[in-house]
Amino acid sequence: MSDIIIRTATEKDAAVIAAIHVASWRDAYAHILAPEFLSGGIETDRLAVWSQRLRDPSLTQFVNVACDPGGLVQAFVCGYCDFDPVWGSLIDNLHVRPQARGQGIGERLFRAAAGQFSATATGAGLHLWVFEANAAGLRFYERLGGSVVEKDRSGIPAAGGKTVLRVHWPAAARIG
């Protein structure tokens, strides 16, 4: 989708980012996160998270949104530069509206984030965590050249300790 515009998120984007996050989790994580969480107060929870992150960002955080030509936010990415001394910068969230998946928006956002890290990070690496059960997400990251380097248990209470995988790229500038 060549007509997508990527821009820095502002506080005004908190509600739409939260809505995309909720829709993405409900779609992609229906078999991963507890149903009572996904049908419960998830909207309030995500709105609180994104309102806080955009109102009072950490010095290393960035949040970008991808908008269609009409200005509708279709996806977002949140990253933290130089997050880990071993693994490098972190992609903390990358979510696309379920109906907008498969159009290249997520890849454009991911590559733009990698470019930001490459330009500002002191370390070269980039990593993220993905649920092992999120097969589509894992395929996406592996197609972009990421390698699974570690397994752990999710700290999200609604995940019930399900397995997460650390996916790593040794150099953000050379994303597959």
Side-chain angles (χ1 to χ4, degrees), residues 54-122:
L54 292 170
R55 181 179 52 256
D56 187 27
S58 78
L59 294 176
T60 63
Q61 172 192 293
F62 71 84
V63 180
N64 293 335
V65 294
C67 303
D68 65 20
L72 180 64
V73 177
Q74 296 291 336
F76 75 94
V77 63
C78 175
Y80 294 89
C81 193
D82 293 325
F83 186 81
D84 185 277
V86 174
W87 303 109
S89 298
L90 171 70
I91 297 283
D92 184 52
N93 282 275
L94 174 62
H95 293 281
V96 178
R97 289 182 189 273
Q99 64 272 25
R101 289 190 189 131
Q103 299 176 32
I105 299 169
E107 183 173 342
R108 292 255 331 262
L109 265 178
F110 184 87
R111 289 182 184 280
Q116 279 184 262
F117 289 140
S118 183
T120 59
T122 58

